Amino acid sequence: MERSFEKYLRQSRLPHMWCPGCGNGIAMKAIIMAIEKKGFTQDNTVIVSGIGCSSRASGYMDFDTLHTAHGRAIPFATGIKMARPDLNVVVITGDGDCTAIGGNHFIHGCRRNVDLNVVLFNNNIYGMTGGQASPMTPLGMKATTAPYGSVDRTFDVCALAAAAGATYVARSTAFHVTHLADMIAAGFDNKGFSITEALVQCPTAFGRKNRLGSPADMMKWMRDHAMMKAAWDKLPADKREGKFPIGCLYKSSDEDYDTAYDRVIHIAGGDK
Ligand code: SF4
Ligand code: MG
């Protein structure tokens, strides 16, 4: 039987190194579904990743790919987009990679409104490097660096992105896979900085430390606590405790960086 997504994967790199039950493969497939949905190809899409479990995806995906340095995917992707604005540039990053090591690159990517499509695999922890707390580890949850529960407050990366200037901000989960693919695809339509936060289960580093049960239990938690944005908006503030919204959370039509930069080139006479 033909498996339709096989052609998008580098067979020589398989089997992958993700743990059984990890959500990263689901998020990777959602990206490929979005690429197919929008009619992009392996030749006009570039995948750029940083370092971490999430960022391994660039090695498995048979596109033009860059597996870069920790936290630095957005600067590399910015360079590609400036040189080749015709390409669909997708950045795969994790919560640690994007909001700690690469935090400053992230906010300035948003501020510039570079036409990139960031998909942040949020597993709430540093998975690959040993289960340390990240800026997106929920308050009170355990990590190897927070054995009694994290006391550091947690970034809401969607609120952070919108405040910093991103023009498309969405969230979904590994449980809601078609919704996740749709959110990523809608980001492709935005000419400007798009970010989709994909909540993914990490049964090994996060789940085990916090006794969250099996990978399926972790996905059921996503099902039971995520709420579509329209329903979330109608919910009184005192009923929101423990829930979180998914969907397109913010959108604006601010000018993207390529367009602004083209104007500078024109003023300087560089396009003659
Ligand atoms: Fe997935 Fe967590 Fe294993 Fe990394 S450590 S591969 S995120 S389950
Ligand atoms: Mg992580």
Side-chain angles (χ1 to χ4, degrees):
M1 190 178 76
E2 190 201 348
R3 286 181 285 175
S4 60
F5 283 76
E6 223 159 54
K7 70 173 180 187
Y8 294 107
L9 301 177
R10 292 187 176 120
Q11 300 300 321
S12 61
R13 298 296 299 271
L14 299 177
H16 61 74
M17 54 67 77
W18 289 320
C19 307
C22 175
N24 287 344
I26 299 173
M28 179 175 76
K29 179 162 182 182
I31 294 171
I32 296 172
M33 288 163 75
I35 289 168
E36 273 212 332
K37 181 174 179 183
K38 287 294 164 187
F40 289 109
T41 68
Q42 284 157 293
D43 294 326
N44 62 16
T45 298
V46 182
I47 311 285
V48 186
S49 68
I51 294 292
C53 289
S54 60
S55 294
R56 294 273 183 165
S58 64
Y60 304 133
M61 297 172 78
D62 194 6
F63 294 79
D64 289 317
T65 59
L66 275 87
H67 191 179
T68 70
H70 211 176
R72 314 299 178 218
I74 288 172
F76 278 85
T78 300
I80 294 164
K81 190 68 191 178
M82 296 309 291
R84 288 288 305 275
D86 55 308
L87 297 175
N88 175 32
V89 183
V90 178
V91 173
I92 297 178
T93 180
D95 44 307
D97 188 63
C98 187
T99 66
I101 303 95
N104 218 13
H105 294 305
F106 175 67
I107 60 173
H108 290 285
C110 294
R111 179 173 70 90
R112 289 184 173 129
N113 197 24
V114 186
D115 187 14
L116 302 177
N117 300 295
V118 177
V119 183
L120 190 161
F121 294 15
N122 176 16
N123 64 356
N124 301 117
I125 205 151
Y126 282 91
M128 195 176 78
T129 51
Q132 298 90 341
S134 87
M136 295 178 71
T137 299
L139 209 57
M141 298 301 264
K142 291 180 180 164
T144 51
T145 51
Y148 304 104
S150 175
V151 293
D152 293 6
R153 293 197 297 163
T154 312
F155 268 147
D156 175 340
V157 77
C158 292
L160 176 66
T167 45
Y168 173 87
V169 179
R171 180 189 289 126
S172 191
T173 85
F175 177 83
H176 304 83
V177 60
T178 49
H179 178 262
L180 173 58
D182 288 346
M183 291 299 102
I184 297 167
F188 291 171
D189 288 338
N190 175 47
K191 191 162 168 53
F193 197 98
S194 301
I195 169 160
T196 300
E197 177 190 354
L199 200 64
V200 293
Q201 74 277 10
C202 167
T204 301
F206 187 66
R208 195 162 52 179
K209 196 91 192 159
N210 289 286
R211 300 183 185 280
L212 300 178
S214 68
D217 291 334
M218 294 180 79
M219 293 179 78
K220 283 180 193 154
W221 184 92
M222 295 173 194
R223 176 194 68 190
D224 296 340
H225 292 81
M227 206 172 213
M228 291 297 165
K229 169 119 183 359
W232 169 265
D233 287 343
K234 289 189 199 126
L235 205 66
D238 61 324
K239 298 265 183 331
R240 290 180 174 179
E241 183 67 29
K243 304 266 184 198
F244 62 92
I246 59 172
C248 175
L249 306 182
Y250 178 77
K251 192 155 174 35
S252 93
S253 54
D254 290 350
E255 182 178 69
D256 75 294
Y257 196 64
D258 291 342
T259 307
Y261 209 85
D262 275 352
R263 200 167 48 246
V264 173
I265 291 170
H266 177 70
I267 292 166
D271 56 356
K272 294 199 176 95

